Amino acid sequence: MERKHLWAALLLLAIACFVFPASSDSLLRISLKKRQLDISSLNVANVARLEDRYGKHVMKDIEKKKKKKKSDTNSDIVSLKNYLDAQYYGDISIGSPPQNFTVIFDTGSSNLWVPSSRCYFSIACWIHSKYKARKSSTYTKKGESCSIHYGSGSISGFLSQDNVQVGDLVVTDQVFIEATRESSVTFIVAKFDGILGLGFKEIAVGNTTPVWYNMVKQDLVKEPVFSFWLNRDINAKEGGELVFGGVDPKHFKDKHTYVPLTQKGYWQFKMGDFSIGNQSTGFCEGGCAAIVDSGTSLLAGPTAVVTQVNHAIGAEGVLSMECKETISQYGEMIWDLLVSGVTPDQICLQVGLCYLNGAQHLSSNIRSVVEKENEGSSIGEAPLCTACEMAVIWMQNQLKQKTTKESVLEYVNQLCEKLPSPMGQSVIDCNSISSMPNVTFNIGDKDFVLTPDQYILKTGEGIATICLSGFVALDVPPPRGPLWILGNVFMGVYHTVFDYGNLQLGFAEAA
């Protein structure tokens, strides 16, 4: 599920950062410092990120301030930057003597790749740093071809092996991808050279061993743990810290709440209910899959829930004709079926907007593919099926409050008007932030609250200020979904521990 164009006028800051590796406590620290960034550079990032791995492509940083200096504790500090106050990246070195590259430290992928000197026909390679194997005395030829496909492009190349340095830690004999082709305009305008994945080997392309695995295997870190602290104070110089080998107690309050991983690959766990204000949305009462992703800027969730959030905060989405058409033609029928006791997962089937293939619930356009050989059908009505399923969720939740049919149908029509735009972004009135509700994620039987100031993103100053919803819609079908992606909007509020040794995630209020 490698996953994640452009939005006009959005949020942001960028951050220059520093790494504190190999200190006296055997931790490799990556600290981040902030500086203001022209907001025009925000475009390409957030939706592109989601379309990347979930289809996901990531942004690169061309700006190359590579500086190293010694701290008072004799630990190296490697300059890092924070793109868009959400995408964190920094410098690594490959080979002997070291060749420098800027990479994203990304918990949502598992490969290390950088452009190759043998990349001749991709413009992106000409404007980014390229790895030159012939100049490294520790290079070992591998040669196997491989590629990574993203939602808006792909990279392809071949495997090579060399030493990789992050701070003072040198990972020997690391296999990585030399990219010889970057087939997307996005990579041309991207802000980094490559990606250093911090996910699990299960999602690594080419069956390669991730850099983090080798850090642990080669006894370079104190513990098989790394942790993120992201400073969301826009006035602070320090943007955050990524610690390899442990946690920094200065960056969190009280104890962490730990939850076990439910599936290796991404850092995935089971999340409980999601509430707006003090009211459950009813979508994740039985639990939802969730992923913590340091490479994703915002909070991504099912369209049905994100629409309710946007309605509650007054966000202006794009009018969905399919949604309103469904409510107009089938709203009363859906209501009557719910009241009569028909189970929610059967209603859209009975209405005729979705189709059941064996034990699987399929939308009509999937049905056309399934039946193509037998019937030659090419008619697809997936938008109406999706709209029906969302309407059922909304109406079912309203029924619990003993609301009248007329008021429910009016409410659902309002939700239709707040559906997120195809680009995922929704704008809100900055003057209304103080009256917006908190939102709550239930994780490990504990509530993790985000206030409006934390989930609303601001860009610009004075009359040019624009406020954006920190929620974007992402619909991942079963069995993998429904799925939430908790990006840096969430990680900025809650210090996050990635415990590789115990296969768990820990969350505590950031200090």
Side-chain angles (χ1 to χ4, degrees), residues 182-208:
E182 298 180 32
S183 60
S184 174
V185 174
T186 305
F187 291 115
I188 298 175
V189 299
K191 288 282 189 176
F192 55 83
D193 299 320
I195 303 168
L196 193 155
L198 294 171
F200 288 88
K201 185 174 181 177
E202 281 76 1
I203 59 171
V205 171
N207 197 33
T208 58

Short mmCIF file of all heavy atoms in Angstrom, two decimals, residues 182-208:
data_model
loop_
_atom_site.label_atom_id
_atom_site.label_comp_id
_atom_site.label_asym_id
_atom_site.label_seq_id
_atom_site.Cartn_x
_atom_site.Cartn_y
_atom_site.Cartn_z
N GLU A 182 12.86 8.89 -12.64
CA GLU A 182 11.83 9.47 -11.78
C GLU A 182 10.77 10.04 -12.71
O GLU A 182 10.91 11.12 -13.25
CB GLU A 182 12.42 10.55 -10.87
CG GLU A 182 13.50 10.01 -9.94
CD GLU A 182 14.09 11.08 -9.04
OE1 GLU A 182 13.35 12.02 -8.67
OE2 GLU A 182 15.28 10.99 -8.72
N SER A 183 9.72 9.26 -12.90
CA SER A 183 8.75 9.57 -13.97
C SER A 183 7.58 10.40 -13.48
O SER A 183 6.44 10.01 -13.58
CB SER A 183 8.23 8.26 -14.58
OG SER A 183 7.58 7.48 -13.59
N SER A 184 7.86 11.56 -12.94
CA SER A 184 6.78 12.44 -12.51
C SER A 184 7.31 13.86 -12.41
O SER A 184 8.43 14.10 -11.95
CB SER A 184 6.22 12.01 -11.16
OG SER A 184 5.28 12.96 -10.70
N VAL A 185 6.49 14.81 -12.86
CA VAL A 185 6.85 16.22 -12.71
C VAL A 185 7.01 16.57 -11.24
O VAL A 185 7.80 17.44 -10.87
CB VAL A 185 5.76 17.11 -13.36
CG1 VAL A 185 6.04 18.58 -13.09
CG2 VAL A 185 5.69 16.84 -14.86
N THR A 186 6.26 15.86 -10.39
CA THR A 186 6.32 16.14 -8.96
C THR A 186 7.73 16.02 -8.42
O THR A 186 8.15 16.81 -7.58
CB THR A 186 5.40 15.17 -8.21
OG1 THR A 186 4.10 15.25 -8.76
CG2 THR A 186 5.35 15.51 -6.73
N PHE A 187 8.49 15.05 -8.90
CA PHE A 187 9.85 14.88 -8.41
C PHE A 187 10.77 16.01 -8.84
O PHE A 187 11.79 16.26 -8.23
CB PHE A 187 10.41 13.54 -8.88
CG PHE A 187 9.76 12.34 -8.24
CD1 PHE A 187 9.02 11.45 -8.99
CD2 PHE A 187 9.86 12.13 -6.88
CE1 PHE A 187 8.41 10.35 -8.40
CE2 PHE A 187 9.25 11.05 -6.28
CZ PHE A 187 8.52 10.16 -7.04
N ILE A 188 10.38 16.69 -9.90
CA ILE A 188 11.19 17.82 -10.37
C ILE A 188 11.09 18.97 -9.37
O ILE A 188 12.09 19.62 -9.04
CB ILE A 188 10.73 18.28 -11.76
CG1 ILE A 188 10.92 17.15 -12.77
CG2 ILE A 188 11.48 19.54 -12.20
CD1 ILE A 188 10.38 17.47 -14.16
N VAL A 189 9.87 19.24 -8.88
CA VAL A 189 9.67 20.36 -7.96
C VAL A 189 9.81 19.92 -6.51
O VAL A 189 9.68 20.73 -5.60
CB VAL A 189 8.29 21.00 -8.17
CG1 VAL A 189 8.16 21.53 -9.57
CG2 VAL A 189 7.17 19.99 -7.88
N ALA A 190 10.07 18.63 -6.27
CA ALA A 190 10.14 18.12 -4.91
C ALA A 190 11.33 18.71 -4.17
O ALA A 190 12.29 19.17 -4.76
CB ALA A 190 10.24 16.60 -4.94
N LYS A 191 11.24 18.60 -2.84
CA LYS A 191 12.19 19.29 -1.99
C LYS A 191 13.27 18.39 -1.39
O LYS A 191 14.02 18.84 -0.54
CB LYS A 191 11.44 19.97 -0.84
CG LYS A 191 10.63 21.18 -1.27
CD LYS A 191 11.53 22.37 -1.45
CE LYS A 191 10.76 23.65 -1.67
NZ LYS A 191 11.65 24.80 -1.75
N PHE A 192 13.36 17.15 -1.76
CA PHE A 192 14.41 16.31 -1.19
C PHE A 192 14.98 15.40 -2.26
O PHE A 192 14.40 15.23 -3.34
CB PHE A 192 13.86 15.47 -0.02
CG PHE A 192 12.66 14.66 -0.40
CD1 PHE A 192 12.80 13.44 -1.02
CD2 PHE A 192 11.39 15.14 -0.14
CE1 PHE A 192 11.69 12.70 -1.38
CE2 PHE A 192 10.28 14.40 -0.49
CZ PHE A 192 10.43 13.17 -1.13
N ASP A 193 16.13 14.83 -1.96
CA ASP A 193 16.79 13.95 -2.92
C ASP A 193 16.19 12.55 -2.90
O ASP A 193 16.00 11.93 -3.94
CB ASP A 193 18.28 13.84 -2.62
CG ASP A 193 18.98 15.19 -2.72
OD1 ASP A 193 18.66 15.95 -3.64
OD2 ASP A 193 19.84 15.48 -1.87
N GLY A 194 15.93 12.03 -1.71
CA GLY A 194 15.44 10.66 -1.58
C GLY A 194 14.66 10.45 -0.31
O GLY A 194 14.27 11.41 0.36
N ILE A 195 14.46 9.19 0.04
CA ILE A 195 13.66 8.83 1.20
C ILE A 195 14.40 7.79 2.03
O ILE A 195 14.98 6.85 1.49
CB ILE A 195 12.30 8.22 0.79
CG1 ILE A 195 11.53 9.18 -0.11
CG2 ILE A 195 11.46 7.84 2.01
CD1 ILE A 195 10.34 8.54 -0.79
N LEU A 196 14.38 7.95 3.35
CA LEU A 196 14.87 6.93 4.26
C LEU A 196 13.67 6.40 5.03
O LEU A 196 13.12 7.08 5.89
CB LEU A 196 15.93 7.48 5.22
CG LEU A 196 16.74 6.44 6.00
CD1 LEU A 196 18.10 7.00 6.42
CD2 LEU A 196 16.00 5.94 7.24
N GLY A 197 13.23 5.20 4.66
CA GLY A 197 12.03 4.63 5.26
C GLY A 197 12.29 4.02 6.63
O GLY A 197 13.30 3.36 6.85
N LEU A 198 11.34 4.25 7.53
CA LEU A 198 11.41 3.71 8.90
C LEU A 198 10.30 2.72 9.17
O LEU A 198 9.99 2.43 10.32
CB LEU A 198 11.36 4.86 9.92
CG LEU A 198 12.55 5.82 9.89
CD1 LEU A 198 12.29 7.03 10.79
CD2 LEU A 198 13.82 5.11 10.33
N GLY A 199 9.68 2.21 8.11
CA GLY A 199 8.66 1.18 8.25
C GLY A 199 9.28 -0.20 8.37
O GLY A 199 10.51 -0.35 8.51
N PHE A 200 8.46 -1.23 8.26
CA PHE A 200 8.92 -2.61 8.44
C PHE A 200 9.37 -3.23 7.12
O PHE A 200 9.00 -2.79 6.03
CB PHE A 200 7.82 -3.46 9.07
CG PHE A 200 7.59 -3.14 10.52
CD1 PHE A 200 6.70 -2.13 10.89
CD2 PHE A 200 8.26 -3.82 11.52
CE1 PHE A 200 6.48 -1.83 12.21
CE2 PHE A 200 8.05 -3.52 12.86
CZ PHE A 200 7.16 -2.52 13.21
N LYS A 201 10.16 -4.28 7.25
CA LYS A 201 10.72 -4.96 6.08
C LYS A 201 9.62 -5.52 5.19
O LYS A 201 9.81 -5.67 3.98
CB LYS A 201 11.66 -6.07 6.53
CG LYS A 201 12.39 -6.77 5.40
CD LYS A 201 13.41 -7.77 5.92
CE LYS A 201 14.15 -8.43 4.76
NZ LYS A 201 15.19 -9.37 5.24
N GLU A 202 8.46 -5.84 5.79
CA GLU A 202 7.36 -6.44 5.03
C GLU A 202 6.91 -5.59 3.84
O GLU A 202 6.36 -6.12 2.89
CB GLU A 202 6.17 -6.70 5.95
CG GLU A 202 6.29 -7.95 6.80
CD GLU A 202 7.23 -7.80 8.00
OE1 GLU A 202 7.80 -6.70 8.19
OE2 GLU A 202 7.41 -8.77 8.74
N ILE A 203 7.13 -4.28 3.89
CA ILE A 203 6.70 -3.43 2.78
C ILE A 203 7.89 -2.89 1.99
O ILE A 203 7.73 -2.01 1.15
CB ILE A 203 5.81 -2.26 3.26
CG1 ILE A 203 6.55 -1.38 4.28
CG2 ILE A 203 4.50 -2.78 3.84
CD1 ILE A 203 5.80 -0.10 4.62
N ALA A 204 9.08 -3.41 2.27
CA ALA A 204 10.27 -2.97 1.54
C ALA A 204 10.28 -3.57 0.14
O ALA A 204 10.04 -4.77 -0.05
CB ALA A 204 11.53 -3.37 2.29
N VAL A 205 10.55 -2.76 -0.85
CA VAL A 205 10.65 -3.22 -2.23
C VAL A 205 11.99 -3.93 -2.42
O VAL A 205 13.02 -3.50 -1.89
CB VAL A 205 10.53 -2.02 -3.20
CG1 VAL A 205 10.85 -2.44 -4.63
CG2 VAL A 205 9.15 -1.40 -3.11
N GLY A 206 11.97 -5.03 -3.17
CA GLY A 206 13.20 -5.75 -3.45
C GLY A 206 13.70 -6.61 -2.31
O GLY A 206 14.85 -7.05 -2.31
N ASN A 207 12.83 -6.82 -1.30
CA ASN A 207 13.21 -7.65 -0.15
C ASN A 207 14.48 -7.15 0.53
O ASN A 207 15.29 -7.93 1.05
CB ASN A 207 13.38 -9.12 -0.57
CG ASN A 207 13.35 -10.06 0.63
OD1 ASN A 207 12.66 -9.81 1.62
ND2 ASN A 207 14.12 -11.14 0.55
N THR A 208 14.68 -5.84 0.53
CA THR A 208 15.86 -5.26 1.15
C THR A 208 15.64 -5.07 2.65
O THR A 208 14.51 -5.00 3.13
CB THR A 208 16.19 -3.90 0.51
OG1 THR A 208 15.06 -3.03 0.66
CG2 THR A 208 16.51 -4.06 -0.96
#
